[in-house]
Amino acid sequence: MFQIQDLSVAYGRRPIIRNLSAGPLMPGRVVSLLGPNGSGKSTLLKALAGLLKAAHGQVMLDGQDLTRLSFERRAQRVVYLPQSLPAAVHLRVFESVLVAARASDLDPQAQAVDPQRILDVLRRLGIEHLAMHYLDQLSGGQKQLVGLAQALIRKPRLLLLDEPLSALDLNYQCHVMDLLTQETREHHLTTLIVLHDLNIALQRSDEALLIRAGELAGHGRPHEVITPESLARVYEVSARVETCSRGLAHILIDGLCAPTS
């Protein structure tokens, strides 16, 4: 299982994440990471991945404190997908996923990767036809899907995704969330995904973490975390959470909260 204990992260002297604790988060569950712009979501993911050093605290995965591991050993267990891939990479899609697959192997001498594994993950994402295309010739949404293929091929224990749906159309948003749920269940991952669409979080995640100004504002099942009260407190909007004819929760925004005197 995965757990964050009293984690603090700063940029220089400016604190971003303040004594944040969350979990335990069990394997096989998709956890949405929610919060307004500037709340610290991306910083938290980078700290969990080891790209930013924590001022203090622990990041526990399967009983091991990741903060005590080297970056290389941490990367064998944790995969982080940023909002966008580097723009100037001139590799074919197949090659880029092959590089990711090789990087995940604990044995540095093991260079043989079954090409069918790569084609399978591209097929599951609906981008097998892009296998021989160059990354720097793809659209933003296609690059995000390739990045997701690079993440899934590494078979991590903890998968950290920073807004992977932001450049995708509605069809691919649903497709990717279905695939992430399937991969998370089948491979017993813990998947932590930053989402701005709270309706997707309500309907497609198992748990939700809500943060505001670097502090935990809520943790639990999505319908317990995303409420009119939390939306007013964290997002400063007046909203309702209603149930549609199919029994799915849906957020309706009425407007901004009235300023308090």
Side-chain angles (χ1 to χ4, degrees), residues 50 144 188:
Q144 280 189 310
H188 304 287

Side-chain angles (χ1 to χ4, degrees), residues 119-130 142 145 172 175 179:
L119 294 176
D120 284 346
V121 72
L122 295 177
R123 176 185 50 78
R124 296 200 303 274
L125 285 162
I127 55 172
E128 187 177 9
H129 63 288
L130 297 177
Q142 289 170 333
L145 293 170
Y172 266 111
H175 181 70
L179 179 63

Side-chain angles (χ1 to χ4, degrees), residues 3-8 19-22 56-60 65:
Q3 190 166 12
I4 306 168
Q5 298 177 345
D6 198 29
L7 188 69
S8 292
N19 303 313
L20 191 147
S21 296
H56 64 78
Q58 293 180 312
V59 179
M60 305 298 297
D65 184 2

Side-chain angles (χ1 to χ4, degrees), residues 12-29:
R13 295 184 178 181
R14 182 165 63 96
I16 305 297
I17 304 297
R18 300 174 177 85
N19 303 313
L20 191 147
S21 296
L25 306 176
M26 304 305 292
R29 299 179 72 78

